């Protein structure tokens, strides 16, 4: 077993510098690396490029970095929940690249897999395809998209072991699985860290080879963005 | 009488067939799930990573790790599965999903769709919409026939930045059911009590009316 554990978030974030490109897992506020985000705020890292499907809300998730103006550029698919984000984007304070969600996922997946580029029909004929190579396959037009290159990937899982093996819960898997191993260093934070051997190898979603550092996260808020319920009868 | 959003959803639900995997967009499309017949087998996919999405949870049973693409708390039905985002879009681009229902700001008579950006004003992003419209064979747009200012959303050409090209085949609005072919909107059904003239009035793009146009049935 190769032990990937580090004792805390400070150790997990060693080597982060200004102007780096960071991947952050999660969809909305579900499955976001809460501990790592707080640490990025504490370290006051500047001018980072963030690859993340969403940008958090005004007072949580990536919104925390946004309001301290730490983000130079965001690469996302949907940013509708964050007023400060919209303000910084429309005023030009922050650069924003909006890309289709499936393309975002696949560019992570391609980076993880060592595939430099791929063709997708998504975005053909739209401003997303501007300046990109296009090609026809089987009578249909496609756009060439490239694998991301990132310095750190911050992901969050439900359970993990010392070897870096990960298990996700529910829809919190989302981009966390695709960003693992997609950057030079993948940092996984987990709700429950267990000794190697305690997780059933049949149930592992992401093998530890894709994870360089793993730590036991703490104080998870796990906020709900849109609480929708049926009344109890 | 022009339809309510619920009635638009109710009409679209009739397009959902036995054995379909269906992706529902945010807004009116989400309501479609409430009206699908319960004697057919259908599974709803949400692109953030669930197949077999169920209704909202009972009060007190919300789970932050169980949401749909609109970030709403949901439940998982028996037979459901969870997966990562890349696999989710493999289902979509790979055409394993049978029907996509989504909202829009504009649709053009050639099937172009624009629903993600108003330059300088509103930029929320496309989410999964570009992947969905570029890949799905079977796309239904659910929207109001006109915008809040009263202007038609069924146009000769889209004025907003496009989400996809020549991809929409069917539209259900508060006034009508329309099919797009041969570079025109073909009127198939009208909302109960809505006249063809009212529909013509609200449609900027070319509208083809062939023969008797029946009223929608629910």
């Amino acid at each position: 077993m190769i032990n990937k554990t580090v004792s805390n978030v400070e150790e997990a974030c060693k080597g982060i510098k200004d102007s780096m490109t960071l991947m952050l897992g999660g969809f909305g506020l579900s499955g976001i690396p809460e501990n790592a985000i707080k640490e990025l705020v504490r370290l006051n890292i500047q001018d980072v490029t963030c690859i993340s499907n969403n940008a958090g809300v005004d007072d949580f998730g990536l919104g925390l970095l946004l309001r301290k103006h730490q983000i130079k550029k965001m690469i996302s698919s949907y940013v509708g929940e964050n007023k400060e984000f919209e303000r910084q984007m429309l005023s030009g304070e922050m650069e924003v690249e909006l890309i289709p969600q499936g393309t975002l996922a696949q560019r992570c997946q391609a980076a993880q897999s060592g595939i430099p580029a791929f063709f997708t029909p998504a975005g053909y004929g739209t401003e997303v395809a501007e300046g990109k190579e296009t090609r026809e396959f089987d009578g249909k037009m496609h756009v060439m998209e490239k694998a991301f290159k990132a310095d750190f990937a911050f992901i969050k899982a439900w359970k993990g072991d010392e070897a870096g093996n990960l298990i996700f819960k529910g829809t919190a898997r989302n981009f966390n699985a695709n960003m693992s191993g997609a950057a030079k260093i993948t940092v996984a934070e987990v709700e429950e860290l267990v000794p190697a051997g305690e997780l059933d190898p049949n149930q592992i979603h992401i093998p530890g080879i894709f994870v360089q550092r793993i730590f036991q996260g703490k104080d998870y808020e796990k906020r709900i963005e849109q609480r929708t319920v049926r009344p109890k009868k | 009488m022009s339809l309510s959003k619920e009635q638009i959803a109710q009409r679209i639900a009739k397009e959902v067939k036995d054995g379909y995997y269906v992706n529902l967009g945010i807004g009116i499309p989400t309501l479609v799930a409430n009206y699908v017949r319960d004697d057919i087998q259908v599974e709803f996919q949400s692109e953030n990573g669930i197949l077999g999405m169920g209704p909202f949870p009972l009060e007190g049973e919300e789970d932050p790790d169980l949401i749909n693409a609109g970030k709403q708390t949901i439940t998982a039905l028996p037979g459901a599965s969870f997966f990562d985002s890349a696999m989710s879009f493999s289902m979509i681009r790979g055409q394993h999903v049978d029907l996509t229902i989504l909202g829009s700001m504009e649709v053009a008579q050639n099937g172009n769709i624009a629903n993600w950006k108003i330059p300088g004003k509103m930029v929320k992003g496309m989410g999964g919409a570009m992947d969905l419209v570029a890949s799905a064979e079977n796309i239904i747009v659910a929207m109001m026939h006109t915008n809040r200012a009263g202007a038609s959303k069924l146009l000769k050409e889209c004025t907003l930045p496009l989400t996809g090209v020549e991809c929409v085949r069917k539209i259900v609005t508060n006034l009508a059911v329309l099919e797009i072919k041969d570079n025109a909107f073909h009127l198939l059904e009208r909302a109960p009590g809505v006249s063809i003239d009212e529909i013509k009035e609200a449609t900027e793009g070319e509208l083809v009316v062939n023969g008797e146009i029946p009223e929608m049935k629910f």
Side-chain angles (χ1 to χ4, degrees):
Chain A
M1 195 267 291
I2 302 173
N3 195 325
K4 304 288 177 71
T5 53
V6 293
S7 50
N8 51 41
V9 70
E10 290 85 358
E11 209 179 317
C13 289
K14 265 191 188 151
I16 292 197
K17 296 191 185 74
D18 291 351
S19 307
M20 278 187 163
T21 297
L22 314 176
M23 290 179 162
L24 297 109
F27 185 99
L29 299 179
S30 192
I32 58 171
E34 293 185 21
N35 284 226
I37 290 171
K38 276 188 198 150
E39 180 64 6
L40 292 171
V41 173
R42 195 189 67 83
L43 290 168
N44 199 23
I45 300 297
Q46 296 292 318
D47 296 325
V48 290
T49 294
C50 291
I51 300 166
S52 172
N53 189 57
N54 313 94
V57 293
D58 282 322
D59 64 344
F60 199 57
L62 277 179
L64 298 172
L65 267 76
L66 269 170
R67 68 180 183 190
K68 287 190 69 191
H69 295 85
Q70 292 175 261
I71 301 175
K72 185 182 75 176
K73 180 179 180 181
M74 276 294 310
I75 301 174
S76 303
S77 87
Y78 191 82
V79 294
E81 285 88 2
N82 193 316
K83 288 193 183 67
E84 174 62 13
F85 185 99
E86 202 160 7
R87 194 194 64 73
Q88 288 189 25
M89 172 168 59
L90 292 174
S91 70
E93 286 166 59
M94 178 180 51
E95 195 184 333
V96 178
E97 187 182 343
L98 289 168
I99 60 176
Q101 194 177 129
T103 298
L104 180 65
Q106 199 60 33
R107 288 178 70 185
C108 296
Q109 190 68 36
Q112 183 201 60
S113 312
I115 303 284
F118 57 92
F119 282 91
T120 174
Y124 177 75
T126 75
E127 59 185 60
V128 162
E130 282 169 17
K132 291 175 185 164
E133 184 180 334
T134 56
R135 197 182 290 188
E136 186 182 320
F137 294 96
D138 299 322
K140 185 167 177 166
M141 292 306 294
H142 293 74
V143 183
M144 190 174 81
E145 296 283 0
K146 291 180 180 168
F148 283 124
K149 291 188 194 314
D151 298 295
F152 276 85
F154 294 102
I155 63 173
K156 191 250 171 184
W158 180 39
K159 289 181 182 174
D161 68 12
E162 295 165 317
N165 295 309
L166 303 176
I167 296 177
F168 302 96
K169 181 167 163 272
T171 53
R173 191 180 321 184
N174 53 60
F175 289 86
N176 287 303
N178 308 125
M179 288 177 175
S180 68
K184 287 177 195 151
I185 295 175
T186 296
V187 175
E189 57 181 83
V190 294
E191 287 181 54
E192 191 183 348
L193 183 64
V194 299
E198 285 205 6
L199 300 179
D200 177 356
N202 288 301
Q203 305 299 324
I204 302 294
H205 293 135
I206 290 295
I209 192 169
F210 293 120
V211 175
Q212 279 67 48
R213 303 172 188 172
I214 187 168
F215 69 97
Q216 169 70 58
K218 58 181 187 184
D219 302 331
Y220 282 106
E221 284 188 46
K222 297 180 70 169
R223 283 198 204 173
I224 290 175
E225 213 165 319
Q226 305 278 347
R227 187 177 302 272
T228 44
V229 295
R230 282 175 292 157
K232 275 186 180 162
K233 281 187 184 133
Chain B
M1 266 285 283
S2 133
L3 302 185
S4 66
K5 287 180 177 176
E6 284 72 20
Q7 287 171 311
I8 296 175
Q10 199 179 349
R11 173 60 190 81
I12 292 175
K14 290 179 67 181
E15 308 286 323
V16 178
K17 303 286 188 318
D18 191 29
Y20 269 15
Y21 293 100
V22 183
N23 180 289
L24 300 178
I26 296 166
I28 300 173
T30 306
L31 303 172
V32 172
N34 301 336
Y35 299 102
V36 173
R37 283 162 46 187
D38 52 14
D39 60 337
I40 59 173
Q41 297 183 343
V42 172
E43 281 194 25
F44 292 105
Q45 195 246 23
S46 199
E47 63 268 23
N48 59 314
I50 176 173
L51 197 57
M53 176 171 50
F56 296 150
L58 291 172
E59 223 172 319
E61 290 176 11
E62 312 91 285
D63 178 354
D65 293 326
L66 191 41
I67 62 169
N68 64 17
K71 286 96 181 177
Q72 297 171 312
T73 46
I74 51 157
T75 53
L77 293 173
S81 55
F82 301 118
F83 36 84
D84 63 67
S85 299
M87 187 178 283
S88 179
F89 283 92
S90 296
M91 296 176 189
I92 290 164
R93 284 189 308 260
Q95 299 187 343
H96 307 285
V97 172
D98 300 289
L99 174 62
T100 291
I101 303 168
L102 77 174
S104 189
M105 300 194 284
E106 294 179 347
V107 176
Q109 64 193 32
N110 67 350
N112 284 2
I113 177 170
N115 69 355
W116 71 284
K117 181 178 183 181
I118 303 172
K121 259 194 196 159
M122 187 287 290
V123 190
K124 291 185 186 300
M126 64 292 280
M130 283 195 184
D131 309 272
L132 283 159
V133 300
S135 312
E137 291 281 325
N138 199 357
I139 300 171
I140 300 176
V141 167
M143 65 178 191
M144 304 310 273
H145 213 99
T146 53
N147 65 22
R148 286 198 187 98
S152 180
K153 296 170 76 169
L154 285 77
L155 307 172
K156 287 189 169 61
E157 283 178 31
C158 290
T159 64
L160 297 170
L162 295 179
T163 306
V165 292
E166 297 176 17
C167 51
V168 178
R169 295 283 164 270
K170 201 166 218 175
I171 308 164
V172 180
T173 74
N174 53 323
L175 302 182
V177 179
L178 308 105
E179 189 184 14
I180 292 179
K181 60 180 182 189
D182 307 326
N183 203 33
F185 299 105
H186 292 249
L187 185 59
L188 300 182
E189 297 171 24
R190 40 196 185 89
V194 170
S195 71
I196 289 172
D197 282 344
E198 281 173 79
I199 297 165
K200 273 184 183 160
E201 181 75 16
T203 308
E204 190 235 52
E206 188 172 336
L207 183 72
V208 175
V209 182
N210 266 334
E212 280 291 298
I213 305 297
E215 286 192 350
M216 291 179 205
K217 291 201 171 61
F218 294 93

